[in-house]
Amino acid sequence: MTDTAGTTDEPGHGGALAVPASAVWLKGQLLEIASALHPDRRPVVVREWTDPVRLHDPAPVGHRFLFLVCVSGGDPPSSAGFDDVLNAFTVAGWNVHRRSSGHPGESWATARREEFEVKVYEGDGPGILSLTGWTPVVYTERQLGQPLFTLTTATGVLCDDCHGWGVCLLCEGRAYSGGSGGYGRCSCAGNNAGPGKCVECAGRGFLTSDAVSWKRKQYGLPAADRSDAWPQPPAEDGHDSNTSAFADVAQRPCVCGEFRCFWCNILTPADDHLLSRFTGICQGCAAQRSYAFTLPPRE
């Protein structure tokens, strides 16, 4: 499953990027597991994209390949649920770990296999059942270690200073400057971040909430809403299923231009129809994003 063999050109990965064997294998795994759960229903690849990985220069030194697959939309309710998905990953040789959910009725889990990871999510209602999978970073030239995070995998906004590595890029985490001789201590050694750690994010790989607020001001954006109350947008029409609404939301960018966002979904009956709500934190500016859709009633 390492990238020592040939590559395949596919659209949707930054144009001219060649898709490595690792990405082809991961996408196949996600579709195979999802298809086995619903033999009569084809899983939907909602989006596929790449996360660039940078060091000092703006040009990427590598990319991580990602896939978002919708197993079911909750309309009608699926016969195969969250536990069935986890069992399928276990049978396929993945290590599965349940995660605590921040909202009642939702279920989260991660599945790992070597350096591959999949985030399994089921919404409330039950809502969307989705798989978000990512490959290890594939480097174009010299091989480097794996960063703590990339744009999609960060639990917040990726640090602009270390690009998600979590280490000071001046000394590359060694706390000493001056080349191979190791003479002279790097400025990061005397900072609260600790020797060799990134000063801006204190080694976490993503920005603090205060740093995010400053970043939003630089882009001319309003301060991020840190309250527990999510925006309540008016319900939109135009979708005949929750899966269709999910595919729509996954393509919409935030006001900052970033589309990356782990979406939560709640599907509830409302009068003579279903109401689907999607919420998530933008991974580019930490804004609270929210959409609502009116769906046909279940038969």
Side-chain angles (χ1 to χ4, degrees):
M1 288 176 288
T2 56
D3 298 307
T4 56
T7 59
T8 305
D9 289 327
E10 288 186 4
H13 289 287
L17 277 180
V19 178
S22 60
V24 175
W25 178 85
L26 176 61
K27 183 178 180 180
Q29 279 277 295
L30 297 178
L31 293 177
E32 181 180 340
I33 290 174
S35 298
L37 293 167
H38 301 286
D40 58 340
R41 188 185 311 169
R42 179 177 297 179
V44 178
V45 180
V46 175
R47 185 156 195 164
E48 46 189 290
W49 68 100
T50 59
D51 280 356
V53 177
R54 297 180 173 85
L55 287 175
H56 303 282
D57 301 324
V61 296
H63 293 84
R64 172 172 274 153
F65 293 76
L66 301 104
F67 304 92
L68 175 58
V69 175
C70 182
V71 180
S72 65
D75 48 354
S78 171
S79 58
F82 186 74
D83 290 336
D84 298 304
V85 175
L86 301 191
N87 290 336
F89 271 100
T90 300
V91 171
W94 294 71
N95 295 317
V96 175
H97 299 278
R98 292 178 178 268
R99 307 295 181 185
S100 59
S101 174
H103 301 86
E106 294 181 331
S107 301
W108 290 96
T110 55
R112 294 177 181 270
R113 184 169 176 177
E114 297 179 10
E115 292 184 296
F116 296 85
E117 185 169 351
V118 177
K119 194 169 189 177
V120 183
Y121 169 78
E122 184 178 47
D124 190 14
I128 288 293
L129 179 57
S130 66
L131 311 175
T132 305
W134 53 85
T135 68
V137 175
V138 180
Y139 294 104
T140 53
E141 295 181 1
R142 66 185 180 114
Q143 292 299 306
L144 302 168
Q146 295 291 314
L148 296 179
F149 302 105
T150 58
L151 282 169
T152 304
T153 64
T155 54
V157 178
L158 200 71
C159 177
D160 288 333
D161 201 60
C162 69
H163 304 296
W165 289 88
V167 300
C168 172
L169 296 185
L170 294 177
C171 66
E172 297 183 352
R174 294 185 296 269
Y176 287 94
S177 58
S180 60
Y183 296 103
R185 293 186 67 84
C186 181
S187 60
C188 67
N191 189 276
N192 291 332
K197 293 183 179 180
C198 173
V199 171
E200 293 299 321
C201 67
R204 298 183 304 171
F206 54 93
L207 295 177
T208 64
S209 57
D210 290 337
V212 170
S213 296
W214 175 249
K215 179 179 180 179
R216 289 177 63 84
K217 291 178 181 178
Q218 287 180 309
Y219 282 100
L221 299 172
D225 185 2
R226 302 182 189 176
S227 68
D228 294 331
W230 286 86
Q232 299 289 331
E236 304 177 34
D237 296 320
H239 291 288
D240 58 0
S241 70
N242 206 21
T243 300
S244 175
F246 184 38
D248 180 0
V249 166
Q251 309 302 321
R252 298 189 183 190
C254 177
V255 292
C256 71
E258 182 57 70
F259 72 87
R260 293 169 178 85
C261 186
F262 279 119
W263 292 106
C264 300
N265 180 235
I266 299 176
L267 189 63
T268 56
D271 298 327
D272 60 345
H273 61 272
L274 291 173
L275 181 65
S276 176
R277 291 191 62 224
F278 291 90
T279 57
I281 301 293
C282 174
Q283 288 167 280
C285 69
Q288 291 182 337
R289 301 184 60 191
S290 182
Y291 299 98
F293 299 92
T294 299
L295 306 177
R298 292 172 176 161
E299 295 182 1

